[in-house]
Amino acid sequence: MEKQSSPKAEVAELELEAVIGFNGHVPTGLKCHPDQEHLIYPLGCTILIQAINTQEQNFLHGHGNNVSCVTISRSGAYIASGQVTFMGFKADIILWDYKKRELIARLSLHKGKIEALAFSPNDLYLVSLGGPDDGSVVVWSIAKREAICGSPAASLNVGNATTIIFSRCRDEMFVTAGNGTIRVWELDLPNRKIWPTECQTGQMKRIVMSITIADDDSFFFLGTTTGDILKMNPRTKLLADTGPVKDKFSLGVSAIRCLKMGGLLVGSGAGLLVFCKSPSYKPINGTAELFATCAKKDIRVWHTLSNRELLRITVPNMTCHGIDFMRDGKSIISAWDDGRIRAFAPETGRLMYVINNAHRIGVTAIATTSDCKRVISGGGEGEVRVWQIGCQTQKLEEALKEHKSSVSCIRVKKNNEECVTASTDGTCIIWDLVRLRRNQMILANTLFQCVCYHPEEFQIITSGTDRKIAYWEVFDGSVIRELEGSLSGSINGMDITLEGVHFVTGGNDHLVKVWDYNEGEVTHVGVGHSGNITRIRISPGNQYIVSVSADGAILRWKYPFTS
């Protein structure tokens, strides 16, 4: 008897409703759509479009294997994504319609893997970079949805190209970079050709991880595995500058972005996100938009540009001697004459914690470490105390008893392993914050009021009641040079730029002075205070100088040099 085969039942597809997860394996895989309301990122074979405010999710299905790269056109109309596939097979690029959330075209030429994708500024072309087994760069027409031309991405004697970026102004220029290769390409549409020009970096051999270009195409910046940044000129194809020279970004510059306000946002392999500027590429911590002052019973937070008071924190019948922002921006640490250290939330002014009996004769100076784990305080009796700050706890780590009189200023070295304290007993002491003991002592016949590390941190500058500005060697405490800082009265405040080229001083002569560090000469003088200047600071990014005086005035000056 013949057995009848039953007709094959149609297998229905399950509908995906929500995805929780982000694996972060796709380089620069998390994108914000130009409408600034949606995040777009790949997860496995799917691309997610997630609303930032409502958590609504849409899914783009179409890839047969893991997505390896994703990009969005400048207008936001298109999304393009590439995938990996098995050795020797073709890897698809899919062009998606963002509004309709649907597939427009499937572009297949590359083998193995799509390494990177980029749209031209006016959505005319899409350029794609094949993976290690493919090694070619292809330009596609978006209107015709077909390839215009292709070429090997890098010459034979160098490694693979891994990143790609289009010009911000022209549809005919793009840049590829990778292991030992940086190329600027020109599209020759009539002849259906792309012409590369190799960029010259001299003796430098670098593996490029990330790339960004200025809005006006004046320069493009490359982040490397070495942890430095190369600035290239796309017209001359020459290296403009490179940095940072020291303290390179740990585990490489894995993400980099030019900002409209100037400067770069840099993400490192070690998980650090910093704002920096050419040519030093040193991290600019903090912001020039806000600053805080303290006087008598209050601390006030100000908006720099509008000169508006944003917050006032009052502790009745007490006097605040000093303040510092924690580097993470989550607290203002303050020193008070009742011997307490108080920490406040900078948005609300809420009291976060109090360290009671921090010093016997009032807390006179305060500083924080950049890792936000320690507070260093100085007291009227001359003690320097190191406090460990945890989530819920504040613990005294060490009391350093060397100064004989009140501590007037504390500065911490960038790596948090050393600090310098100035005192009215005529000494400045450099402390080892790891072993918690004295490293070096500086003696002078003056009441020290202020001290600064030079950014290179092998020298410090001090000043005080003898009106002299002294440069000292950190290593052995020897004096290098002395400048006549003022004709009358003490110098009470001092700050130095991040680059260490200029510093500012203010004191009882009511004048703000800008100095050239190497020449030891005054370059600018600010006349405006009617009282003794007590403190002075340069804003991050060198836009402003803010000085405060004993009569309660706060003056904001334009920083005289362009950084």
Side-chain angles (χ1 to χ4, degrees):
M1 196 176 147
E2 206 173 339
K3 215 174 176 186
Q4 270 191 324
S5 61
S6 58
K8 201 170 180 190
E10 190 70 36
V11 178
E13 202 172 294
L14 275 178
E15 189 183 331
L16 180 64
E17 280 201 330
V19 172
I20 302 171
F22 174 75
N23 68 12
H25 289 316
V26 177
T28 66
L30 180 65
K31 305 278 188 191
C32 184
H33 191 270
D35 67 10
Q36 302 211 331
E37 288 176 10
H38 293 86
L39 292 177
I40 295 167
Y41 58 94
L43 193 61
C45 319
T46 310
I47 289 170
L48 269 82
I49 302 174
Q50 176 154 341
I52 295 168
N53 299 326
T54 63
Q55 302 300 311
E56 180 204 348
Q57 291 182 330
N58 296 108
F59 310 102
L60 303 178
H61 301 289
H63 285 290
N65 209 320
N66 285 350
V67 175
S68 55
C69 56
V70 64
T71 187
I72 309 166
S73 68
R74 197 199 276 193
S75 67
Y78 301 106
I79 298 172
S81 54
Q83 68 173 62
V84 292
T85 181
F86 303 107
M87 191 99 161
F89 286 90
K90 285 198 170 161
D92 286 349
I93 299 163
I94 297 182
L95 187 63
W96 308 89
D97 185 310
Y98 172 74
K99 277 209 166 63
K100 293 181 183 163
R101 311 280 202 263
E102 63 186 34
L103 184 148
I104 298 174
R106 204 178 276 273
L107 313 170
S108 299
L109 260 185
H110 296 285
K111 288 192 175 74
K113 179 187 180 184
I114 310 296
E115 194 72 53
L117 293 162
F119 281 101
S120 72
N122 299 309
D123 295 3
L124 295 184
Y125 312 113
L126 174 69
V127 62
S128 59
L129 197 55
D133 305 328
D134 181 83
S136 62
V137 60
V138 176
V139 178
W140 307 82
S141 162
I142 291 174
K144 294 180 181 168
R145 303 188 179 126
E146 63 178 26
I148 297 170
C149 55
S151 166
S155 55
L156 294 169
N157 56 353
V158 294
N160 295 313
T162 52
T163 60
I164 194 158
I165 196 165
F166 241 105
S167 151
R168 303 281 296 168
C169 312
R170 293 173 52 228
D171 285 296
E172 291 75 39
M173 183 191 92
F174 61 91
V175 182
T176 61
N179 186 348
T181 169
I182 304 164
R183 285 179 154 192
V184 177
W185 299 76
E186 286 286 339
L187 172 63
D188 176 2
L189 195 62
N191 297 316
R192 296 185 74 142
K193 284 266 192 306
I194 38 175
W195 305 107
T197 311
E198 204 72 50
C199 291
Q200 302 305 315
T201 55
Q203 295 299 306
M204 286 180 81
K205 294 279 179 281
R206 291 288 187 269
I207 302 170
V208 175
M209 293 176 86
S210 52
I211 185 167
T212 186
I213 194 161
D215 271 350
D216 57 358
D217 280 356
S218 53
F219 294 100
F220 61 94
F221 299 85
L222 306 138
T224 70
T225 53
T226 318
D228 52 12
I229 295 161
L230 313 183
K231 179 180 178 181
M232 305 288 305
N233 185 325
R235 286 178 300 286
T236 62
K237 325 288 190 281
L238 296 175
L239 186 67
D241 64 43
T242 174
V245 181
K246 278 203 223 146
D247 301 328
K248 297 195 190 316
F249 294 102
S250 175
L251 302 179
V253 177
S254 51
I256 188 166
R257 180 57 60 95
C258 273
L259 300 178
K260 283 193 173 74
M261 59 186 258
L264 296 166
L265 205 54
V266 173
S268 77
L272 211 65
L273 183 67
V274 299
F275 173 60
C276 64
K277 284 184 177 176
S278 159
S280 72
Y281 301 102
K282 286 181 180 168
I284 299 168
N285 287 303
T287 170
E289 285 184 30
L290 301 172
F291 67 92
T293 58
C294 67
K296 296 195 173 144
K297 65 179 190 299
D298 25 85
I299 297 167
R300 301 184 193 187
V301 178
W302 305 85
H303 183 251
T304 313
L305 276 175
S306 64
N307 307 321
R308 251 185 27 246
E309 183 185 314
L310 298 179
L311 177 71
R312 185 180 299 198
I313 301 163
T314 307
V315 181
N317 308 325
M318 301 298 163
T319 301
C320 183
H321 286 311
I323 46 173
D324 198 3
F325 279 105
M326 265 299 185
R327 192 64 58 84
D328 59 11
K330 290 179 182 170
S331 55
I332 298 172
I333 314 295
S334 54
W336 297 82
D337 67 343
D338 62 351
R340 293 187 172 107
I341 295 169
R342 292 178 172 89
F344 299 96
E347 282 117 2
T348 58
R350 176 179 64 84
L351 182 65
M352 293 168 74
Y353 60 82
V354 180
I355 302 176
N356 292 309
N357 308 317
H359 288 275
R360 286 203 312 281
I361 315 176
V363 189
T364 53
I366 199 125
T368 61
T369 57
S370 64
D371 59 7
C372 307
K373 290 180 180 167
R374 282 167 152 186
V375 166
I376 294 132
S377 62
E381 73 293 331
E383 270 189 34
V384 174
R385 292 190 164 193
V386 182
W387 306 88
Q388 236 176 352
I389 307 296
C391 290
Q392 306 291 325
T393 56
Q394 303 85 42
K395 194 175 108 218
L396 177 65
E397 210 173 324
E398 192 63 74
L400 307 164
K401 302 175 186 177
E402 293 264 351
H403 289 299
K404 304 284 183 287
S405 178
S406 72
V407 179
S408 53
C409 185
I410 305 170
R411 294 288 181 124
V412 183
K413 202 172 165 179
K414 281 199 283 282
N415 65 5
N416 302 320
E417 289 175 8
E418 188 183 286
C419 76
V420 59
T421 58
S423 170
T424 53
D425 64 359
T427 64
C428 275
I429 297 178
I430 295 161
W431 305 93
D432 184 327
L433 290 178
V434 180
R435 296 200 291 271
L436 296 167
R437 58 187 183 83
R438 186 179 93 183
N439 263 359
Q440 203 50 256
M441 190 184 229
I442 287 161
L443 285 159
N445 189 13
T446 178
L447 311 182
F448 282 118
Q449 298 292 350
C450 43
V451 62
C452 283
Y453 272 105
H454 183 270
E456 298 291 330
E457 298 179 331
F458 47 74
Q459 292 178 4
I460 58 170
I461 47 172
T462 61
S463 200
T465 52
D466 67 349
R467 313 192 307 279
K468 286 187 171 58
I469 296 166
Y471 295 47
W472 309 82
E473 200 70 67
V474 169
F475 172 66
D476 59 0
S478 60
V479 66
I480 301 163
R481 73 197 296 191
E482 279 191 341
L483 310 173
E484 200 64 47
S486 148
L487 295 173
S488 63
S490 164
I491 292 175
N492 306 320
M494 177 187 273
D495 201 18
I496 193 163
T497 62
L498 188 73
E499 297 75 35
V501 182
H502 297 96
F503 66 94
V504 292
T505 60
N508 292 2
D509 61 357
H510 307 178
L511 299 175
V512 170
K513 292 180 184 172
V514 181
W515 300 76
D516 184 300
Y517 188 88
N518 288 337
E519 299 296 321
E521 299 283 338
V522 176
T523 62
H524 295 75
V525 174
V527 182
H529 281 285
S530 56
N532 294 347
I533 297 171
T534 49
R535 280 283 182 262
I536 188 162
R537 280 281 191 273
I538 300 166
S539 75
N542 304 346
Q543 285 173 282
Y544 317 109
I545 300 163
V546 175
S547 54
V548 295
S549 54
D551 58 359
I554 303 167
L555 274 65
R556 173 165 60 91
W557 313 80
K558 183 175 184 284
Y559 185 73
F561 303 98
T562 53
S563 61

